[in-house]
Amino acid sequence: MKFGPKFAAVFVSAGLLTAGVGVAPAGAASTATPQCTRQVQIKPVADYSYYMMIPKSSSTVKCLLMEGNKNSGVVALQTALKFCYGADIVVDGDFGSRTASALHWVQMIKLFPEQAELWDGVYGPATANAIKFPWHRSNGEIMSTCTPREGSG
């Protein structure tokens, strides 16, 4: 009995997964990227009264959030999904399936419509560079203005 190349690819993939070796999709964020563990306030200029809340690891804003994470970095992401993109999600700091689905939709429709390999429902460096976050007033009120974290676009 002969097996085609498709069967061989499935067999090899299954063997790698059984052995504990993960095969990441091409668009998946790198495992070397640190996990986002909190949110931080950034201002366009130090003495401005408005600010943006973005996810951050202990050392960088180029960090990773995915399903299963529970922290204030997830709150920043969920706030962006809800207030900048209209996602019907609860802002609770728990990156569950609804947050993953909302992020996948934003990646597919708004951020990367021509790059299907980036539609992974994971907040990694590419998504972090493209996604818009809402501005907050000094009293914490969320404004209707959303921009990418670098302030462009």
Side-chain angles (χ1 to χ4, degrees):
M1 178 186 286
K2 287 189 172 184
F3 296 106
K6 279 187 178 180
F7 179 82
V10 169
F11 183 77
V12 170
S13 294
L16 289 173
L17 291 172
T18 303
V21 177
V23 179
S30 168
T31 55
T33 304
Q35 291 286 317
C36 304
T37 55
R38 60 194 175 121
Q39 63 180 333
V40 293
Q41 184 184 99
I42 62 168
K43 294 182 176 187
V45 176
D47 61 345
Y48 276 28
S49 63
Y50 57 93
Y51 58 92
M52 182 183 287
M53 299 300 289
I54 63 169
K56 187 175 188 283
S57 73
S58 60
S59 60
T60 181
V61 295
K62 294 178 182 176
C63 54
L64 186 67
L65 285 170
M66 64 182 72
E67 199 165 342
N69 290 145
K70 295 178 183 181
N71 58 54
S72 65
V74 177
V75 170
L77 173 60
Q78 289 172 327
T79 301
L81 294 170
K82 184 175 185 100
F83 290 93
C84 298
Y85 298 98
D88 183 20
I89 58 172
V90 175
V91 177
D92 61 2
D94 185 354
F95 197 131
S97 60
R98 289 186 63 112
T99 300
S101 294
L103 181 56
H104 180 267
W105 180 86
V106 168
Q107 290 169 327
M108 186 173 65
I109 303 299
K110 301 291 186 177
L111 304 181
F112 314 113
E114 305 291 324
Q115 297 171 282
E117 69 276 7
L118 296 177
W119 306 344
D120 57 7
V122 172
Y123 178 88
T127 298
N129 286 335
I131 198 167
K132 294 180 179 181
F133 290 92
W135 289 97
H136 300 249
R137 297 186 195 286
S138 59
N139 65 1
E141 176 188 349
I142 298 172
M143 301 166 64
S144 60
T145 303
C146 295
T147 60
R149 67 173 189 225
E150 299 301 326
S152 61

